[in-house]
Amino acid sequence: MTPARTSQPFPIGSTVTDGGANFSLFSRTATGVELLLFDRQDDARPARVVALDPVANRTYHYWHTFVPGVKSGQLYAYRVHGPQDPARGLRFDSTKVLIDPYARGIVVPDRYTPGAARAPGDNAATAMKSVVVDSSEYDWEGDTPLRLPSARTIIYEAHVRGFTRHANSGIKEQVRGTYAGFAEKIPYLKDLGITAVELLPVHAFDTHACPAGLVNYWGYQPVSYFAPHPQYSSRREPLGPVNEFRDLVKALHRAGIEVILDVVFNHTAEGNHEGPALCFRGIDNPTYYILEDGGARFADYSGCGNTLNANHPVVRRMIVDSLRYWVTEMHVDGFRFDLASVLSRDSSGHPLPNPPVLWDIESDPALAGTKLIAEAWDAAGLYQVGSFVGDSWKEWNGRFRDDARDFFRGEPGIAGRFADRMLGSHEVYGHKGREAEQSINFATCHDGFGLNDLVSYNQKHNEANAEENRDGANDNRSWNCGAEGPTDDPAIEGLRNRQVKNFLAATMLSLGVPMIVMGDEVRRTQGGNNNFYCHDNEANWFDWALLDKHADVYRFLKLLLARRGQRDATNEQQRVSLTQLIARATKSWHGVKLNQPDWGENSRSIAFSADLKNDNLTFYLVLNAYWEPLAFELPPTTREPWLRWIDTSLPSPEDIVEWRSAPPVAGNTYPVGPRSVVMLYRHTT
């Protein structure tokens, strides 16, 4: 007779082994735990209930059991018993069905609603359930993370659903807006020339976490840190989302494109003290969240109702385990951490000088070489751009965004600051002894105006968000070029087109890692809404008809990226710091007169020349945000003439030409049009 299999506290979560599956759940304050096994996602009752003995099935604070016969694809959940004492932070409710914090898969009943997870009574029929996943069953066919050098990285921030959901996407209806649909558009991404997609959250999230009648579209309301969002899958079976996401990663890697995930470890969809019990709240509330008023209320440094207690040892372990899983089992190449400064706070909310979770992430050997990108601020005013802890974290450079916007709308006193941003933001990062690629340079992202709206609206127009236009940033640093919103005026439309190209050129020609947001290459609009998180409709999807309407902008960016992709990665590979890079460079600043830069309050232009010794080139770059044309003296050349690569004041296709087809420039000066960018180069051998 074969002896009964003994359960183990490790690994945490559900693990398929010979003859069944092991389940392990952490809860320090629970008095009892029940494992529920379901046959279908909308079942009102579990097919089997396994009560865990607090003596035999508990080791330390880990509740664990082995269930024979369980296979990959099995649905399960928990009921957790304990005191209901909100004043002390204890919010147990044994009538609620809770998903496993370590679940590798999630299913969502058609009748799911967070209301049932808030209201009294049993919610089994409408509750999300976990899925047992055996990761060894998938064939990666030799795929591994790409580990491309950051000096060659060009990031495209994209929304999985929005990229292909539109009826004019050319994708079959059954796969529009899915991982599979996204994979069908890889040739488009390859043709454009990006090297990495940064996907808005694909961790399973609650689409209902938004104002009534709307949909949480962006995905910044996670319910699981291990499971891919099931509603992005075209496959309805429980294991479908896991395998379809892996298929997408594998296909992107075959095209030479990395996958970076936008991860939200600062809060969850469970909201404030009135929120639903979906997972963490009902399992061990004081462990998972930062609490205030003796535990009665949730601290809110995220702006979303609660704050994950990221530096608690158990939560730290969960975060690192999640990242390891997505790298080792899902093969992603990097992570962008939403409101990453929250992760530097302790259990009282105070910023730590050396946050344990951030060092855990950076020093974990399984994550070595993985791209780590911080949004180095939070919703409570902590701003750490240039001071975020760590040796290898890259940062979204919010200062580049702000100064680029101010410069191109013609604000005074910006020229000197923006010149620094173009050279890797030395005044922000030079003290850290890091390579220029620490800075992620962007003018727009999902949060705020896209490029089209940045040059088309002076004010946000968020009335559709049902918050009386109070939501979203008020400081957009935008300029509508003379009219608010769409216009038939050809002069205004021409200026907007030029401004879009100016922003793209500055982002791609700067030192650092450039990032653009989905649709900026075809002037996608959100109608002036700068917080479009709660709309899942055509206004938020990629409109593929714009590819023809704004073909000149697409072509402009494509040629920029083609040249950017040829950049030398030697500096990063040799860990040449930003300070060393700038010190070694042969460079000169100019105004309209050579070697006479104007850093005054009223200056609205920058001219810069430098030698690229590895490329045997000298380039001359002019950024003119002045509203009149200016004639700039050119550095003298004896043999090879100056060649014009970019001039955004010219109509397409002269605004940018194929690199090797650049025409020569005659004379000792170059007339730079109003509000335009010019790039000249000449060969030095």
Side-chain angles (χ1 to χ4, degrees):
M1 183 175 179
T2 303
R5 182 74 175 267
T6 303
S7 64
Q8 301 293 332
F10 183 82
I12 310 171
S14 60
T15 307
V16 177
T17 61
D18 292 339
N22 190 79
F23 296 84
S24 178
L25 177 76
F26 178 92
S27 181
R28 181 176 184 272
T29 48
T31 58
V33 173
E34 294 175 295
L35 172 66
L36 315 177
L37 302 179
F38 292 88
D39 291 334
R40 290 169 296 275
Q41 64 188 36
D42 56 356
D43 282 352
R45 293 181 178 81
R48 184 180 176 188
V49 177
V50 181
L52 277 61
D53 185 284
V55 176
N57 297 106
R58 183 175 184 176
T59 304
Y60 183 55
H61 302 310
Y62 293 96
W63 299 75
H64 51 87
T65 187
F66 178 81
V67 183
V70 169
K71 299 179 180 178
S72 188
Q74 171 69 54
L75 307 186
Y76 72 101
Y78 289 101
R79 293 192 193 276
V80 181
H81 301 259
Q84 177 65 249
D85 189 355
R88 295 195 298 123
L90 302 175
R91 296 179 179 271
F92 291 102
D93 183 350
S94 60
T95 68
K96 295 297 175 282
V97 170
L98 307 172
I99 58 177
D100 181 356
Y102 274 69
R104 269 56 170 175
I106 296 291
V107 294
V108 183
D110 293 337
R111 294 185 295 125
Y112 164 75
T113 169
R118 284 193 296 265
D122 188 294
N123 70 326
T126 60
M128 300 181 191
K129 280 90 174 175
S130 312
V131 182
V132 175
V133 175
D134 183 355
S135 297
S136 67
E137 292 180 343
Y138 186 79
D139 183 4
W140 278 104
E141 302 178 276
D143 177 83
T144 58
L146 296 180
R147 305 287 168 86
L148 300 178
S150 293
R152 295 265 179 89
T153 296
I154 303 164
I155 299 173
Y156 186 84
E157 189 193 37
H159 189 280
V160 169
R161 180 170 169 82
F163 194 44
T164 66
R165 183 65 186 88
H166 203 289
N168 65 13
S169 65
I171 304 295
K172 291 186 294 186
E173 185 173 2
Q174 58 267 36
V175 295
R176 289 180 200 155
T178 68
Y179 303 120
F182 198 102
E184 290 193 29
K185 286 296 186 179
I186 291 175
Y188 170 84
L189 299 171
K190 187 72 173 175
D191 180 71
L192 181 59
I194 60 95
T195 70
V197 290
E198 184 173 299
L199 301 178
L200 267 67
V202 299
H203 287 165
F205 62 89
D206 188 352
T207 60
H208 293 75
C210 60
L214 301 174
V215 176
N216 190 294
Y217 171 76
W218 280 353
Y220 291 92
Q221 290 289 355
V223 298
S224 171
Y225 293 116
F226 293 82
H229 189 57
Q231 288 147 317
Y232 289 166
S233 176
S234 63
R235 307 176 195 175
R236 297 296 91 191
E237 69 274 15
L239 296 174
V242 179
N243 292 328
E244 190 170 325
F245 178 83
R246 287 167 161 172
D247 288 346
L248 171 59
V249 172
K250 189 162 58 174
L252 284 163
H253 284 175
R254 285 173 175 165
I257 298 174
E258 291 187 307
V259 180
I260 299 171
L261 301 188
D262 194 333
V263 291
V264 188
F265 291 116
N266 57 80
H267 76 280
T268 78
E270 291 187 309
N272 61 20
H273 60 285
E274 298 178 339
L278 306 173
C279 179
F280 311 97
R281 172 197 302 263
I283 292 172
D284 197 332
N285 193 58
T287 290
Y288 284 106
Y289 294 112
I290 298 178
L291 304 178
E292 298 175 333
D293 296 337
R297 302 183 70 86
F298 292 81
D300 186 8
Y301 300 104
S302 66
C304 296
N306 64 52
T307 305
L308 209 64
N309 193 9
N311 282 292
H312 186 286
V314 170
V315 185
R316 283 164 51 194
R317 182 180 298 111
M318 180 187 70
I319 291 172
V320 173
D321 285 348
S322 168
L323 299 173
R324 283 177 181 168
Y325 175 75
W326 286 96
V327 169
T328 60
E329 301 296 338
M330 305 297 266
H331 287 205
V332 304
D333 303 271
F335 305 94
R336 177 265 186 189
F337 291 74
D338 179 65
L339 298 182
S341 291
V342 171
L343 275 65
S344 71
R345 295 183 182 270
D346 64 16
S347 59
S348 298
H350 300 120
L352 294 163
N354 287 292
V357 69
L358 295 180
W359 286 109
D360 285 352
I361 293 168
E362 174 162 322
S363 63
D364 191 274
L367 303 178
T370 299
K371 291 180 171 64
L372 303 174
I373 302 170
E375 183 185 35
W377 53 85
D378 68 18
L382 188 57
Y383 193 80
Q384 297 176 316
V385 173
S387 62
F388 197 77
V389 72
D391 295 331
S392 61
W393 288 83
K394 304 180 190 323
E395 300 173 18
W396 268 23
N397 190 346
R399 299 186 190 278
F400 181 98
R401 174 201 59 204
D402 294 346
D403 290 339
R405 292 182 175 195
D406 279 344
F407 178 80
F408 282 116
R409 67 177 175 152
E411 289 294 294
I414 302 298
R417 287 214 308 268
F418 189 51
D420 183 72
R421 304 298 169 261
M422 291 295 296
L423 287 188
S425 297
H426 179 262
E427 70 178 25
V428 178
Y429 296 115
H431 68 285
K432 300 196 79 171
R434 295 278 307 285
E435 68 280 358
E437 285 72 30
Q438 179 173 0
S439 176
I440 306 295
N441 296 337
F442 66 103
T444 59
C445 63
H446 70 278
D447 190 3
F449 287 152
L451 278 185
N452 180 80
D453 291 1
L454 186 65
V455 302
S456 302
Y457 294 91
N458 284 346
Q459 308 294 333
K460 66 183 182 182
H461 297 270
N462 297 3
E463 291 79 7
N465 296 356
E467 298 184 43
E468 299 181 345
N469 207 35
R470 294 189 302 267
D471 63 306
N474 293 316
D475 181 19
N476 293 291
R477 308 188 185 211
S478 60
W479 176 49
N480 65 19
C481 297
E484 189 74 356
T487 180
D488 294 327
D489 187 322
I492 293 177
E493 180 60 19
L495 176 55
R496 288 176 177 175
N497 220 42
R498 188 158 72 251
Q499 288 284 75
V500 166
K501 293 174 183 177
N502 290 341
F503 279 111
L504 292 173
T507 303
M508 293 304 153
L509 296 174
S510 62
L511 281 180
V513 177
M515 184 186 80
I516 60 170
V517 65
M518 178 186 86
D520 272 358
E521 73 273 24
V522 292
R523 289 186 55 183
R524 188 180 78 86
T525 180
Q526 296 178 169
N529 194 321
N530 75 352
N531 190 33
F532 224 28
Y533 78 99
C534 54
H535 301 276
D536 186 7
N537 53 37
E538 287 189 359
N540 223 347
W541 303 335
F542 193 112
D543 181 357
W544 291 87
L546 295 174
L547 191 55
D548 291 327
K549 182 178 180 180
H550 295 296
D552 64 314
V553 178
Y554 177 86
R555 174 185 174 274
F556 184 87
L557 180 59
K558 179 180 175 179
L559 290 179
L560 269 175
L561 299 191
R563 179 60 191 168
R564 175 88 191 195
Q566 299 171 14
R567 286 182 56 164
D568 188 3
T570 302
N571 288 327
E572 183 193 19
Q573 292 167 343
Q574 296 179 352
R575 303 294 290 180
V576 175
S577 73
L578 175 61
T579 301
Q580 292 171 318
L581 183 65
I582 293 174
R584 293 179 187 177
T586 303
K587 61 187 184 301
S588 300
W589 293 104
H590 313 286
V592 292
K593 299 289 186 181
L594 285 176
N595 301 307
Q596 295 181 34
D598 182 359
W599 304 122
E601 182 74 9
N602 295 318
S603 175
R604 290 173 173 84
S605 64
I606 301 168
F608 177 73
S609 62
D611 293 331
L612 303 179
K613 298 187 183 301
N614 291 339
D615 294 331
N616 296 317
L617 291 174
T618 297
F619 73 82
Y620 182 72
L621 174 66
V622 182
L623 306 163
N624 181 24
Y626 193 52
W627 43 86
E628 298 288 346
L630 298 172
F632 284 78
E633 288 184 352
L634 298 180
T637 177
T638 55
R639 292 190 302 170
E640 298 292 335
W642 287 104
L643 306 174
R644 188 197 74 233
W645 180 40
I646 296 172
D647 186 340
T648 61
S649 71
L650 299 177
S652 182
E654 296 177 313
D655 54 350
I656 186 170
V657 299
E658 296 280 354
W659 180 261
R660 299 185 185 280
S661 302
V665 171
N668 298 320
T669 63
Y670 188 91
V672 178
R675 302 189 190 275
S676 60
V677 172
V678 168
M679 174 74 151
L680 312 178
Y681 73 90
R682 64 181 176 86
H683 299 284
T684 55
T685 56

